[in-house]
Amino acid sequence: IASPGRSYEAVFPAMALSERPRPASDGKSLDSLYFSAFRTVLERFGCSREGRTRTSTPGERAWSHPVVTDPFRPFLQRRGAAVLDGGLATELEARGLVIDNVLWSARALIDAPAIVAAVHRDYLEAGADVIETATYQATLQGLTAQGLSARDAGHVLRSGVTLACRQRDAFWERHEPNGHRARPLVAASIGSYGAFLADGSEYRGGYGQDQDALAAWHRPRLRLLEESGADLLAFETIPSLVEAEAIVGLLGETDGPPAWLSFQAGSAQS
């Protein structure tokens, strides 16, 4: 959760590199490549390693730097970590759903929302502090391509957040009095442009799209999910810095919920 003027080790407590980094095929550490990508985006957002706010240099696009409250603080104060839920698609398939289609697990929001709700509920009961919605592959463009109206496509996206929030709220009503846990968070899962293409390019990048084009593609879904009631926005499997920079620019346009970006990093540049 980026906050200008704070060191990124303070922003991301797990930012320190592993003592035994995993080897990569090109001889570089996958950990070092992964964190190099994180650092590049954070520094563009105004967060330096030393904790000094970074200003744009001539010729760079200027970003706004909203100050956000760290939503993970209650979990970090209690036990030093926040526990994310596990794989959603894996659980849906284990419960009999066939999700081998271009919408992947998002199809369950249309065909089997009760099963999605049950998976959320089970992860909360198992100890998850953060549950992610079934919206990773739910895009306005992808849903309308499957025959939904623009209005219905927006409803599917919102329903993913509503479903998760209802399960979280019901869980909290049952467990709040015991005082052993902090209130869980709901993160709206947002896939990369490559996830929409459904051709594996979320692992490769290189879409042939520039930063402005990627920003224009992400903007409608992001604006909708910013107002959906989610506690967090979770951008996942972002495979290129160009797309990451487009997303960071969009986040600077409004005062929406805090967001994280996770990377599928093939190299420090891609």
Side-chain angles (χ1 to χ4, degrees), residues 148-267:
L148 276 70
S149 67
R151 178 179 178 179
D152 287 343
H155 174 73
V156 170
L157 275 167
R158 293 186 192 91
S159 73
V161 177
T162 300
L163 196 67
C165 286
R166 285 177 177 169
Q167 292 304 312
R168 185 272 312 279
D169 293 345
F171 170 84
W172 194 235
E173 285 183 5
R174 297 192 300 273
H175 293 277
E176 181 180 11
N178 65 29
H180 297 312
R181 294 180 62 174
R183 183 174 182 265
L185 304 174
V186 171
S189 179
I190 304 174
S192 63
Y193 178 70
F196 157 69
L197 297 178
D199 61 359
S201 57
E202 68 265 38
Y203 301 107
R204 302 187 303 269
Y207 311 129
Q209 301 282 337
D210 63 18
Q211 185 173 325
D212 289 337
L214 289 169
W217 184 86
H218 275 285
R219 186 176 284 108
R221 175 175 56 168
L222 174 57
R223 295 288 96 94
L224 186 153
L225 289 174
E226 282 176 332
E227 300 177 355
S228 65
D231 302 302
L232 299 161
L233 304 174
F235 291 90
E236 302 185 278
T237 64
I238 306 301
S240 75
L241 288 177
V242 173
E243 186 168 19
E245 289 175 339
I247 292 167
V248 170
L250 291 174
L251 292 172
E253 292 177 355
T254 63
D255 294 329
W260 79 60
L261 279 72
S262 65
F263 291 88
Q264 175 64 35
S267 72

Side-chain angles (χ1 to χ4, degrees), residues 66-145:
V67 176
V68 297
T69 301
D70 185 353
F72 293 113
R73 184 179 300 277
F75 310 106
L76 298 178
Q77 289 176 334
R78 282 173 178 265
R79 55 184 175 181
V83 178
L84 307 186
D85 61 1
L88 178 63
T90 302
E91 284 297 315
L92 293 175
E93 288 181 320
R95 298 170 196 230
L97 292 188
V98 177
I99 56 176
D100 185 16
N101 59 77
V102 295
L103 294 179
W104 197 38
S105 55
R107 184 74 204 182
L109 291 173
I110 301 171
D111 296 339
I115 296 180
V116 177
V119 174
H120 288 323
R121 181 170 60 250
D122 288 350
Y123 273 129
L124 289 166
E125 294 290 350
D129 296 317
V130 183
I131 56 172
E132 295 189 35
T133 62
T135 53
Y136 170 83
Q137 205 134 330
T139 67
L140 298 172
Q141 300 90 332
L143 290 164
T144 53

